[in-house]
Amino acid sequence: MSYYEIRGGRPLDGRLTVQGAKNSVLPILAAALLAPGQSVLHNCPQLSDVAATLDILRLLGCRVDREGDTVLVDASALCRVNIPERLMREMRSSVIFLGALLARLGTAELTYPGGCELGPRPIDLHLSALRSLGAEIQDIQGCLCCRQRKKPAGRELCLSMPSVGATENAMLAACGCSGITTLVGAAREPEIVDLQRFLNAMGADVAGAGESIITIRGGRPLHPAEFSVMGDRIAAATYLCGTAAAGGQIELAGVEPETLTAVLSCLEEAGCTLQTGESRIALTCQAPLKGIAPVRTAPYPGFPTDAQAILMAALAGGEGTTMFVENIFDSRYGHVDELRRMGADIQIAGRVAVVTGAGRLHGAAVRGGDLRGGAALVVAGLGAEGVTRVSGLRHICRGYQCLDRDLAQLGADIQEIPEG
Ligand code: EPZ
């Protein structure tokens, strides 16, 4: 595998249009199964997680084509309902296909998605929501065999915690249930609002996404739709934190500032100047970052867990002390040891990490162990003194279309070097 070689300390400068949102396009691609015919999805980022999802759609019998950032999915010939283990392991969020297959064909078979670098990835909330909507689910030696009862009816169901994936799975399954389904305790992430927009473009009647109560009037005939995926707020946070780490000024287009308010307020508190407008965010940083009030990750609209490592990497090269509390995943500090190799002063106790800005970090050879942890090491390298080599690019490629090219466009000295 190759690695990124970054010569740090160069201020960033320029303008960039942010890629489509990975965490929006994945459930939307599953939703395309709900109706026969061809859906046209614009602003689909070219990521390995998206490629894996397209492979699943093809395996299930769909015709899938890609023309640049546009993906065409024709689900007319959907004929299979089982997703093999190798694809489930490759893409844990493929559990989202459960709800769509139950709604369209009334049956689905897939294996547990398995744990990952962030800790266990249970799907109990997905399964209990789908069972509430009439699905019979049997665990046969690790394979989930699901069958929807005849003429499933909608109902009120409560999520014990605002799981993003379980909310999306329930929305998709409810489209196949007659009558009204009310999701109470739903996750409020912007990607769920995007899914609602796509479902309604298909002729569904979904309302309330973005709030904690979502209603779905199911059983309606659905049709394919043409749709443009929202901008990726976590990718945007990555470029903003990279500029905060290296200094400079950038302007991002194609992302709505209100989808990452919690991140923007942390960057402003740390000393950055921000200007926002419709689908644009401009950031200027001309001094070392200061320590800020405790950063506690939380369900939206709280501080996003996906931006925790990225912001930490920027603050580690600043001045002052900041406490982080990771409340969403059990082990999402895999990047800390690697940041320490670059001179970062970070103490961990359970869910708490205390970052003491040690002034500029120094370059080192580091390895990303997960998607956002890998991106965080790139952010740290942009501000570090000297050369940083970041390996583990297979993780980064899951969520960033071309992180090195985008950063180089903003003036960073970064290039991908083939290993060996
Ligand atoms: C989505 O994952 C995102 N992935 C994640 O982004 C993101 O970190 C996460 O939401 C939280 O915002 C996609 O959208 C593809 P959850 P998801 O269900 O749906 C526990 C990235 O870097 N839980 O909201 O899997 C779970 O273990 C990725 O882009 C259960 O206990 O997240 C976790 O602790 C990483 N039982 C918490 O809830 C369940 O049935 C939040 O998980 C489901 C989840």
Side-chain angles (χ1 to χ4, degrees), residues 10 28 47 93 112 160 165 178 202 296 299 308 351 366 401:
R10 286 173 57 148
I28 285 174
L47 310 169
S93 53
Y112 278 97
S160 57
S178 60
M202 294 182 80
R296 296 180 175 83
Q308 175 255 106
R351 289 184 175 274
V366 290
Q401 188 159 268

Side-chain angles (χ1 to χ4, degrees), residues 266 269 290-297 303 308 311-312 315-316 319-327 333 345-357:
C266 287
E269 187 183 347
K290 296 177 290 192
I292 62 177
V295 179
R296 296 180 175 83
T297 65
F303 188 91
Q308 175 255 106
L311 179 64
M312 183 186 290
L315 291 171
E319 294 162 359
T321 299
T322 302
M323 179 177 81
F324 284 79
V325 187
E326 174 53 57
N327 294 308
Y333 287 139
D345 176 355
I346 304 172
Q347 303 305 315
I348 294 179
R351 289 184 175 274
V352 175
V354 178
V355 181
T356 302

Side-chain angles (χ1 to χ4, degrees), residues 22-42:
K22 167 179 87 77
N23 292 347
S24 175
V25 72
L26 298 181
I28 285 174
L29 285 168
L33 285 183
L34 292 176
Q38 180 176 276
S39 286
V40 180
L41 302 174
H42 301 296

Side-chain angles (χ1 to χ4, degrees), residues 22-23 26 93 118 120-126 161-166 168 189 305-306 328-329 332 371-372:
K22 167 179 87 77
N23 292 347
L26 298 181
S93 53
L118 306 181
R121 297 298 284 271
I123 59 170
D124 55 305
L125 300 175
H126 295 244
M161 63 182 292
S163 155
V164 173
E168 293 163 344
E189 272 68 5
T305 174
D306 295 346
I328 304 294
F329 287 105
R332 199 165 197 175
L371 165 55
R372 307 303 177 183

